[in-house]
Structures are given as C-alpha cells and as structure tokens.
Amino acid sequence: MRSPADPFALPNHGGELSLAAARFGQPADGWLDLSTGINPFAYPVPVLPPVVWQRLPDSGDDLSLREVAADAYGINDPDLIAAAPGTQAILQLLPRLRPFSHVAVVGPTYGEHARCWGNAGHQVTPIETLDRSTSADVVVLCQPNNPDGRRFEPGRLLEIAEIQAAKGGLLVVDEAFVDATPEISISHLVRPGLLVLRSVGKFFGLAGLRLGFAVAEPQLARLIRQALGPWAVSGAAMAVGAMALADQEWIISTRRRLPQEVAALNAVLGRAGLTVVGGTPLFTLVNASRAWALYEYLGQSGILARPFATSPRWLRFGLPPDDAARQRLVTALENWT
Amino acid sequence: MRSPADPFALPNHGGELSLAAARFGQPADGWLDLSTGINPFAYPVPVLPPVVWQRLPDSGDDLSLREVAADAYGINDPDLIAAAPGTQAILQLLPRLRPFSHVAVVGPTYGEHARCWGNAGHQVTPIETLDRSTSADVVVLCQPNNPDGRRFEPGRLLEIAEIQAAKGGLLVVDEAFVDATPEISISHLVRPGLLVLRSVGKFFGLAGLRLGFAVAEPQLARLIRQALGPWAVSGAAMAVGAMALADQEWIISTRRRLPQEVAALNAVLGRAGLTVVGGTPLFTLVNASRAWALYEYLGQSGILARPFATSPRWLRFGLPPDDAARQRLVTALENWT
C-alpha cells in the first residue's frame, strides 16, 4: 500500500505528488494539484497551544469532540458517533467487524471501499444501480458519489437501510463530500442497518489533519470506538476539528463560495471542449475522448488531474486555488490539441 | 472504551484528567499531572506551514518519515518500518493479523497488550518471568517494563525471537520507554519472529501528536502498513516527528537531563518515606503501604499519580515539569500522614 509504486501506472488516489514527480519530473513552477476533491480555500488553522501536542487526549476530550460533531451534523446523541484519524481508518477496520459478507458497492466510486472489504476476505460485487431487492449483506455507496457526483434520494436510502436492518445487513453511506450540499445528508437520521461516514478533510480543506467520523446506532458506534481504541485522534485534530465544525460563519460562506468556484472551473473546461458529465461543488468530472493522454499532457505541464484506470474517458478536476492557477489551466488547455 | 467511565473506579490509564476532575473536582491551582510517563520537557514544536494541515500526506511522505525513523533507530531499511498514529493503533490491529493464538504477556505491565489480544479472541496468559521454553505462540513484553522499569537482556530477547520464529510464533517487544536508555533497544536487530514497537509520544513529550512505529521483518511490516491503510499518520505528525527524530542535539541533551530529573523526584519521594521499587528516567514506581489512599489524598490536592487496580501497594509518578511543581509535591507529601 505505502511502498513506492510504479510511477508509470495510473495512480490509485489523488494527491500523489511524489508519484507525479517520479513520472513527470518536478515542475519548474511547482505542482498545480487538481487531482483531489480537497477544498483549496482551507479552514484557517491558528497557532495551537503546546498542550495540544504534549497531552494525551483523554476520554473527556474524545467525548467533547463527539459532542461538537453531533451539534454540527444535527445528531442528538454523541454516543452515535465514533471519531477516527480520517474515515479511511474506519474503512480499514469495518470489514473486520463483520463475518464473511456479500458486499455490493454501487459504482464506479471511490476505490477504497471495495479494496478494504476485499482485502478482509469478503465477496465484493460492483453494482451500477441501487437495488432495494439486493441480496447483499452490505451495500456501500458514496453520497454524493465520487467521481461522478451522482446523488441518491435520502428517503430511498433510509428505506434500504431498513430492509438491510431487517435481515441483519448494513447500508454504508460515505458522505465524504456531502458538506457542501447538506440537504442530501442522512447522518442525522441513523438507525439500525445504517452507517454514515463524515469527513473533515474535504470541505474544510484539512486533509492532513486526519479526522473523520462514523455515525451509527449506539452498539455499532461503540464497536467502532472499541476497534479504534483509545487516543485514536490526535490533539491537533481534536482542537482544530472542534473549531472548524463549530464555525457556522465559515461553513455558510464556504457553502456559498464553492458552487461559484466550480462553475468557474466548469467554464474553463467547457471552453476547452471538455464535456462536464458530473461533479460536486468540490470537483468536476469531464468526458474527454483521450482522457489519459490529456492527463499525461497536463502532467508534463505541472498540472495534476485525476485519471481513472477503469474509465479511460474520464478525468476529474479539483478546484484551482486562485485566479493565477485557473489561468495556468486555461493556458495549458489552449495548447492541447 | 471511550465512553464516560465510573470516576470512582481506579483509572485504566494515566493522563485521564477528565475522570480525575469528575472524581476530585477541578483543582484551584490546576492539575499537576504526574500520572503518565510523558516527558514534561517536551520537544519544542514550531509553527507549522498550512500545507501540513491541508495536503493529504502521500506515499512519498510516508516513505520519507520511515527513512527518518530508520536513521534515528539505526535500522538499515525503511521497509522494515510501519508508521502509525500512535503505537496503540498497532496494538489494536496486530491481534487481527494472526489466527487464534496463545499469548503470554510478561507482567504486570502496560494493560493494553492483554486487553487488545483478549478482545480479538486470543487466549491471553499473564506470566511473571520470560521463559525460553514457553509454549505460547506470541510473547509480549515491554522493554523497559512499565510500570516497574524491569529490563530484559537484549541477547536473551533475540534468542527467544529466534525460538519463536522457528515455530511460526512472535515476540512483541514494546520499547515505548526505551529512548532514554537506547543501549537496551533491539529495534535495529529485528529478524523473523520479532516485532518491536517504538513511540514518539513519551521521550519527546509529544503524546498528543500520535506517532509510533512498528519494526519487523519486511513481510510483517508490509502487512501492518496494509492494515493501517493509506494516510494513517497526520501531516503534523509527519512533519514534527521527522524534525524530532532527527534532532540529535535535543535527543542527547534530553538523555542527559532525564536521569537527573528522575533522581530529584526520587529524592522527594524517598524523603516522604516512600520506597522506590523501580522505574525508568521517565517515571518512578514506589511502594506505599496505603497506595490507593495516597492516590486519593494527592488527588484531593490536585496532584494526579497513577494507581494500579491489581497492585494495591504501587503508585507511579511521572516527572514534575519544574521546581514549583516538585515543591507542590513536597508540600503535599509533608502533610500526608
């Protein structure tokens, strides 16, 4: 997983600047990294007091963080929440908490779900549409979906969660990119049969912080807390996460800003003849007849987009951080033939 | 694990200031927390650049960190290392990587080892002395031991690792407190059958950072990296950890300072009639006929020591952070009858 990978293979994840440098060389102007869906207008992190680094966060700190998250997500009980060093940590352990299961992953979607369930020995089947009559023990989807931005009707998800609950199954809804469109979130509606994942990294632009949450019925949330063990979340993630999640002013203005930013990005991509086929306020998916060649061309120009090994016509772009960056993309695309 | 615990039960861990406040009330002068073995003379953390919070650490960052750790620990290959958000994360997942095992834990020792192996369904047996003829599949010990500071002869540990390797077993050596006495570390001597854990939190006084390492043969180290998954360690832990582990000047002066600090602490405890029965440069263990009553009395004075539910005569003290704190302990002990 973390060993040096083949730089000439397509990357498995966005943000792999080390691999990009191995493939394309280090760009003279530095990377313009558009390969992730991380908000480039990040929550401003203040200077932290030394205690954040020095003290072992205790169970009271963990409870306080879960209370802040409960408030932020409209959840009435912090015992429905488990805090983790990034939702990836939950993806890694969740498959170990279930006996052998048939797992249906609604895709194409974020690859780590299928990878983690598969690595733990479960039988994973990719499915294209959400089917209420599924025989799968576990159904996994992303709301909105990454990379195409597909949305699922919340009422339908709750209905499927109930069907799953009735047979001892589980619906996993990864809301990593939901913060910009909270009206489609169901994290405040968790019930038996439903597990919702929330991330701090994307919307708040704090991917390096490593903070995410699982929301589930109390028994499952407790099981996840136990599997994570004590002190899973760093002092800095606790302090900064609590600030960010409670900062309504920043959240509201960011929810207003992101759709404008993605519209400006889409305009640039459209003028270059690329067809936007989906997205969220944090990223855009385009269809390009030679997407891998365009990825290669942009990479040579120091601009990193996100190709997909399984979808040779897709390329995903994150938000440029400023006008100069957007102009750099414009210039590169103008010279693309 | 992280739910609010009974404040009148003895704590399972040091550093539980929330539980202490629930039990003893919030002290007027603030807590003097001597309940951990965390160095109070912490590595100074500089202001970090925003990129540390914003960027998703990539596989190159992970490799760089492992290279720094390899240098610091005298290990010739970073592929022998897995970086984790605290060694506790490794304790949590390690038992899931082995089939049902008989696990012998040399104790009394740090409680999380037995707890984690037991929670994962293995059969855990506490043993008092290290026995080369053990039939256990997994042998776990802390070097030096916490809380009594007991040391194991490195050559003997290597011999037992080889015996374990020959039968497909494992020796787990938790070197959480070894940094002050590197001459007894065997992390640079890993081989089949041996897993060594190294922590950044204790010696560097950065427990809130959440950074620790497993050192093992390449296959096992890779298995642990895969179980942790990508982006397990925060950007801040990577940046600060790399600085701290490479700062030879700070490390050498801290190795010189800690024995002096613990000697001063031992003098205070000795003058109060307490018998030092063990320890390391980061903590001291005393024998007191009424240890739980003394814990209670000190707690009422806002001084938190570490009692042990299974050892009613033991109390562990960490280093006071300055002369005023040491004097506060002196004064409290003078009034203890």
Side-chain angles (χ1 to χ4, degrees), chain A residues 21-37:
Chain A
R23 178 165 186 164
F24 300 115
Q26 194 63 43
D29 302 338
W31 284 108
L32 170 53
D33 182 10
L34 304 180
S35 69
T36 79

Side-chain angles (χ1 to χ4, degrees), chain B:
Chain B
M1 187 69 253
R2 313 301 307 268
S3 298
D6 172 8
F8 292 94
L10 289 179
N12 286 325
H13 298 112
E16 274 284 348
L17 295 184
S18 305
L19 287 181
R23 177 166 188 166
F24 299 116
Q26 194 63 44
D29 303 337
W31 284 107
L32 170 53
D33 182 11
L34 304 179
S35 69
T36 79
I38 299 165
N39 180 2
F41 315 105
Y43 188 79
V45 175
V47 174
L48 300 176
V51 67
V52 158
W53 309 109
Q54 294 166 7
R55 254 198 71 216
L56 198 59
D58 74 6
S59 54
D61 299 318
D62 180 72
L63 180 59
S64 301
L65 175 65
R66 290 190 282 119
E67 283 168 347
V68 172
D71 277 351
Y73 300 144
I75 296 161
N76 61 18
D77 181 356
D79 281 352
L80 305 180
I81 300 181
T87 49
Q88 182 68 32
I90 302 165
L91 267 60
Q92 297 284 142
L93 69 84
L94 187 61
R96 311 252 172 205
L97 302 181
R98 280 193 68 91
F100 174 82
S101 299
H102 292 266
V103 181
V105 178
V106 185
T109 191
Y110 180 58
E112 287 291 322
H113 290 289
R115 195 189 66 81
C116 289
W117 287 98
N119 280 357
H122 300 277
Q123 184 192 305
V124 178
T125 310
I127 59 174
E128 292 191 357
T129 51
L130 189 60
D131 180 359
R132 66 191 299 282
S133 65
T134 179
S135 64
D137 307 302
V138 179
V139 177
V140 183
L141 58 86
C142 294
Q143 166 85 316
N145 191 42
N146 170 14
D148 64 359
R150 177 157 55 134
R151 297 164 174 220
F152 301 87
E153 205 270 299
R156 191 165 159 68
L157 296 182
L158 296 174
E159 184 192 1
I160 286 173
E162 274 155 28
I163 294 169
Q164 288 298 98
K167 61 178 190 187
L170 189 66
L171 172 65
V172 178
V173 177
D174 182 351
E175 296 189 342
F177 288 101
V178 92
D179 300 59
T181 52
E183 66 279 8
I184 58 168
S185 171
I186 55 171
S187 57
H188 58 301
L189 300 169
V190 286
R191 55 196 65 195
L194 177 61
L195 174 78
V196 181
L197 300 170
R198 300 286 307 237
S199 296
V200 169
K202 280 84 175 183
F203 177 77
F204 291 96
L206 299 174
L209 192 63
R210 309 315 296 135
L211 181 61
F213 300 94
V215 191
E217 54 161 336
Q219 268 179 300
L220 179 54
R222 190 184 315 117
L223 206 60
I224 293 172
R225 288 199 297 274
Q226 282 169 347
L228 285 164
W231 322 299
V233 174
S234 70
M238 284 185 166
V240 177
M243 268 181 258
L245 287 166
D247 192 337
Q248 277 304 314
E249 197 180 328
W250 189 91
I251 291 170
I252 289 168
S253 77
T254 300
R255 277 190 189 136
R256 202 174 294 132
R257 176 180 193 169
L258 293 177
Q260 298 164 6
E261 296 285 342
V262 84
L265 170 64
N266 288 350
V268 166
L269 298 169
R271 278 198 298 277
L274 300 169
T275 310
V276 173
V277 292
T280 74
L282 282 163
F283 58 79
T284 279
L285 186 71
V286 300
N287 212 329
S289 55
R290 295 183 298 138
W292 291 350
L294 177 54
Y295 161 72
E296 187 81 26
Y297 163 79
L298 290 171
Q300 301 289 354
S301 318
I303 300 173
L304 201 61
R306 174 72 163 98
F308 297 90
T310 51
S311 305
R313 295 175 60 91
W314 278 3
L315 214 51
R316 195 189 66 191
F317 291 86
L319 299 176
D322 51 35
D323 288 344
R326 196 184 299 113
Q327 191 50 48
R328 191 171 158 191
L329 178 62
V330 169
T331 305
L333 288 172
E334 279 171 358
N335 296 318
W336 161 250
T337 49

Side-chain angles (χ1 to χ4, degrees), chain A residues 7-336:
Chain A
F8 292 93
L10 290 178
N12 286 323
H13 299 112
E16 274 285 347
L17 294 185
S18 305
L19 287 181
R23 178 165 186 164
F24 300 115
Q26 194 63 43
D29 302 338
W31 284 108
L32 170 53
D33 182 10
L34 304 180
S35 69
T36 79
I38 300 165
N39 180 2
F41 315 105
Y43 189 79
V45 174
V47 174
L48 301 175
V51 68
V52 157
W53 308 110
Q54 294 165 7
R55 253 198 71 215
L56 199 58
D58 75 6
S59 54
D61 299 318
D62 180 73
L63 180 58
S64 301
L65 175 66
R66 290 190 282 117
E67 284 168 347
V68 172
D71 278 352
Y73 299 144
I75 296 161
N76 61 17
D77 181 355
D79 280 352
L80 305 180
I81 300 180
T87 49
Q88 181 69 30
I90 301 165
L91 266 60
Q92 297 284 142
L93 69 83
L94 187 61
R96 311 253 173 203
L97 302 181
R98 281 192 67 92
F100 174 81
S101 299
H102 292 266
V103 181
V105 178
V106 186
T109 190
Y110 180 57
E112 286 290 322
H113 289 288
R115 194 189 67 82
C116 289
W117 287 97
N119 279 357
H122 300 277
Q123 185 193 305
V124 178
T125 310
I127 57 174
E128 291 192 358
T129 51
L130 189 60
D131 180 0
R132 66 191 298 284
S133 64
T134 179
S135 63
D137 307 304
V138 178
V139 177
V140 182
L141 58 86
C142 294
Q143 165 86 317
N145 191 42
N146 171 14
D148 65 359
R150 177 155 58 134
R151 297 165 173 218
F152 300 87
E153 205 270 299
R156 189 164 161 67
L157 296 182
L158 296 174
E159 184 193 0
I160 286 174
E162 275 157 26
I163 294 169
Q164 287 298 97
K167 61 178 189 186
L170 189 66
L171 172 65
V172 178
V173 177
D174 181 350
E175 296 190 340
F177 288 101
V178 90
D179 300 60
T181 52
E183 65 278 7
I184 58 168
S185 170
I186 55 172
S187 56
H188 58 299
L189 300 170
V190 286
R191 55 197 63 196
L194 178 62
L195 173 78
V196 181
L197 300 170
R198 300 286 308 236
S199 294
V200 170
K202 279 85 175 184
F203 178 77
F204 291 97
L206 299 173
L209 192 63
R210 309 315 296 135
L211 182 61
F213 300 94
V215 192
E217 55 162 334
Q219 267 179 301
L220 179 54
R222 190 184 316 114
L223 205 60
I224 293 172
R225 288 199 297 274
Q226 283 170 346
L228 285 163
W231 323 299
V233 174
S234 71
M238 285 186 164
V240 177
M243 270 182 255
L245 287 166
D247 193 337
Q248 278 303 315
E249 197 180 327
W250 188 91
I251 290 170
I252 289 168
S253 77
T254 299
R255 279 192 188 133
R256 201 173 297 132
R257 175 180 194 168
L258 293 177
Q260 299 164 7
E261 296 285 344
V262 86
L265 170 64
N266 288 350
V268 166
L269 298 169
R271 278 199 298 278
L274 301 169
T275 310
V276 173
V277 292
T280 74
L282 282 163
F283 58 78
T284 279
L285 187 70
V286 301
N287 213 327
S289 54
R290 294 184 297 138
W292 290 350
L294 177 54
Y295 161 72
E296 187 79 26
Y297 164 78
L298 290 172
Q300 300 289 355
S301 318
I303 299 173
L304 201 61
R306 173 74 162 98
F308 297 90
T310 51
S311 306
R313 294 174 61 91
W314 279 3
L315 214 51
R316 194 188 67 192
F317 290 86
L319 298 176
D322 52 35
D323 289 344
R326 196 183 300 113
Q327 191 51 50
R328 191 172 158 190
L329 179 62
V330 169
T331 305
L333 288 173
E334 279 171 356
N335 296 318
W336 161 249

